């Protein structure tokens, strides 16, 4: 079963001995870390993994998360403090279940938590919640953000102060059910030499709780300037978009899902297009891989997760961080999470 533990044949003890980093916290399971520097400290906004008792299915129904905890660190080398429950699904009027990968942003004295969850009809929507402090508690808006859908929101603040919301994930994340922002349950992931689906992007209004424009598709090109093909599973977008900027260029990074890689592509606008460049992180223990990239006091860091602590249970993951080498020519050096 594809969504169950990948790498069943792995010697987890051997991988643990060679792991390049340790979980940031071990008293709870955490995943999908979105890291930001606010007020000189690192704040990490992860999913809070639990065993909700939901059966495994091909749509990720076993990822039954119910709330978010925010982690705070004085530095990447320091201890991670669990700031407690920042938002619970019971306090989100429109949401029923599956609080998946979140992100956060700051503007004009307030903090915003962006999160996906399923509504009572089983459709993923993206909501926003507001707080006066980076660790929350966050108060959810009564309805999902208009014009959003699917999963894995990520907010990028450009140097001119504009914020852009990226989102999307195929398969259980439902992105394949949409074309031109319209839902049709008959749609599936494209196949063969058709262009792969990209994540969505839209600029946010200054108030940060609505989009300023309809979202558009982010196109990822190959080395010949052609859109990545749908059957190029080692490179095509699957889920977990993230944006960062380096030497004036925009870096889109993402998970390839069923090939278990974190990849990156580079462009000259937050809207893209982006050209595929390479692999950031080789496969981790567990089916999913999901990350963020954050600069702290001049050093770039990769925040990611794996399922080593739970012995490979794919929906019980732990967030970790490791230095990320951005070369002067703009290339990112590939990381092996187990040091080989
Ligand atoms: O944590 C639930 C889902 O698994 C996330 O939304 C995906 O990115 C994957 O990590």
């Amino acid at each position: 079963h594809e969504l169950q533990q990948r790498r069943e044949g792995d010697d987890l003890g051997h991988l643990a001995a060679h792991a390049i980093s340790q979980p940031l916290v071990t008293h709870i399971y955490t995943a999908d870390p979105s890291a930001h520097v606010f007020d000189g400290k690192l704040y990490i906004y992860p999913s809070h993994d639990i065993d909700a008792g939901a059966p495994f299915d091909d749509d990720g129904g076993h990822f039954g998360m119910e709330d978010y905890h925010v982690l705070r660190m004085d530095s990447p080398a320091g201890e991670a403090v669990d700031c407690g429950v920042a938002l619970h699904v019971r306090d989100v009027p429109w949401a029923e279940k599956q609080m998946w990968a979140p992100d956060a942003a700051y503007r004009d004295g307030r903090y915003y938590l962006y999160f996906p969850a399923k509504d009572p009809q089983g459709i993923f929507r993206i909501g926003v919640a507001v707080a006066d402090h980076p660790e929350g508690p966050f108060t959810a808006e009564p309805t999902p953000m208009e014009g959003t859908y699917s999963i894995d929101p990520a907010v990028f603040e450009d140097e001119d102060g504009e914020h852009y919301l990226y989102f999307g994930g195929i398969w259980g994340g439902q992105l394949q059910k949409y074309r031109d922002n319209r839902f049709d349950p008959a749609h599936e992931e494209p196949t063969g030499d058709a262009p792969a689906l990209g994540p969505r992007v839209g600029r946010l209004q200054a108030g940060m709780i609505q989009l300023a424009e309809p979202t558009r598709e982010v196109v990822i090109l190959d080395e010949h300037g052609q859109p990545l093909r749908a059957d190029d599973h080692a490179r095509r977008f699957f889920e977990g978009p993230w944006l960062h900027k380096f030497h004036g260029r925009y870096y889109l990074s993402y998970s390839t899902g069923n090939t278990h890689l974190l990849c990156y592509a580079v462009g000259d606008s937050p809207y893209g297009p982006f050209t595929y460049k390479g692999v950031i992180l080789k496969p981790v223990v567990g089916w999913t891989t999901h990350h963020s990239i954050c600069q702290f006091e001049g050093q770039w860091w990769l925040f990611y997760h794996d399922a080593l602590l739970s012995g490979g249970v794919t929906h019980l993951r732990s967030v970790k961080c490791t230095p990320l080498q951005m070369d002067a020519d703009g290339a990112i050096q590939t990381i092996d999470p187990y040091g080989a």
Side-chain angles (χ1 to χ4, degrees):
H1 193 294
E2 206 165 12
L3 280 181
Q4 290 183 13
Q5 178 195 333
R6 193 173 48 80
R7 306 182 65 154
E8 275 171 6
D10 281 343
D11 175 350
L12 295 185
H14 175 83
L15 292 177
H18 292 87
I20 59 170
S21 51
Q22 297 302 312
L24 299 189
V25 292
T26 56
H27 66 293
I28 55 173
Y29 290 110
T30 53
D32 311 322
S34 292
H36 294 274
V37 178
F38 295 134
D39 292 334
K41 295 184 193 303
L42 268 166
Y43 287 88
I44 299 113
Y45 299 84
S47 301
H48 175 201
D49 281 359
I50 55 170
D51 195 341
F56 277 70
D57 64 40
D58 287 334
D59 290 332
H62 47 295
F63 291 93
M65 298 85 103
E66 296 176 349
D67 65 13
Y68 297 111
H69 287 225
V70 179
L71 306 180
R72 183 182 65 236
M73 301 171 82
D74 287 339
S75 79
E79 187 188 349
V81 175
D82 176 0
C83 301
V85 176
L87 181 69
H88 195 283
V89 69
R90 76 169 83 90
D91 298 319
V92 182
W94 59 267
E96 185 181 85
K97 61 183 178 181
Q98 289 179 273
M99 304 280 268
W100 284 14
D103 191 18
Y106 168 82
R107 188 165 188 167
D108 296 334
R110 308 196 87 184
Y111 297 85
Y112 299 87
L113 183 71
Y114 299 87
F115 59 96
K118 274 187 181 163
D119 68 12
Q121 286 72 45
I123 304 296
F124 269 116
R125 310 278 178 200
I126 293 173
V128 58
V130 188
D132 293 326
H133 305 282
E135 67 274 25
F138 288 88
T139 302
E141 291 294 300
T143 55
M145 297 174 74
E146 198 178 329
T148 67
Y149 47 89
S150 192
I151 60 168
D152 292 359
V155 174
F156 166 70
E157 180 183 2
D158 208 345
E159 286 157 302
D160 62 2
E162 295 289 356
H163 289 74
Y164 297 85
L165 176 70
Y166 299 79
F167 62 81
I170 59 173
W171 297 16
Q174 303 176 347
L175 181 66
Q176 72 278 7
K177 299 295 180 188
Y178 295 80
R179 297 290 186 279
D180 299 325
N181 291 328
R182 279 193 292 276
F183 178 82
D184 183 338
H187 288 319
E188 296 296 348
E189 181 187 10
T191 56
D193 63 1
L197 288 177
R200 309 296 302 186
V201 58
R203 190 168 53 83
L204 287 165
Q205 292 181 357
M208 298 291 276
I209 58 174
Q210 292 294 345
L211 288 164
E213 57 190 8
T215 68
R216 55 185 95 170
E217 185 170 3
V218 176
V219 176
I220 306 171
L221 304 172
D222 67 13
E223 64 277 22
H224 307 296
Q226 298 301 312
L228 289 180
R229 292 167 49 130
D231 62 3
D232 189 352
H233 285 200
R235 299 193 296 178
R236 64 96 167 79
F237 171 79
F238 187 97
E239 64 187 3
W242 185 262
L243 249 287
H244 75 282
K245 203 170 179 181
F246 179 70
H247 290 177
R249 304 202 75 197
Y250 298 85
Y251 284 65
L252 170 71
S253 45
Y254 56 93
S255 164
T256 62
N258 56 319
T259 50
H260 315 291
L261 299 167
L262 291 179
C263 293
Y264 75 104
V266 181
D268 294 311
S269 158
Y271 294 108
F274 296 87
T275 300
Y276 177 89
K277 292 294 182 186
V279 172
I280 296 175
L281 186 71
K282 294 181 180 178
V284 294
V285 172
W287 198 91
T288 69
T289 186
H290 188 124
H291 74 301
S292 64
I293 293 170
C294 179
Q295 195 176 31
F296 185 83
E297 295 181 351
Q299 169 68 50
W300 289 96
W301 294 85
L302 177 73
F303 289 79
Y304 66 104
H305 70 226
D306 73 13
L308 256 185
L309 183 66
S310 68
V313 179
T314 205
H315 59 291
L316 296 177
R317 302 160 291 180
S318 303
V319 300
K320 300 180 164 186
C321 72
T322 191
L324 182 80
Q325 181 61 46
M326 306 270 321
D327 291 341
D329 66 359
I332 299 179
Q333 288 189 13
T334 303
I335 296 169
D336 185 323
Y338 308 109

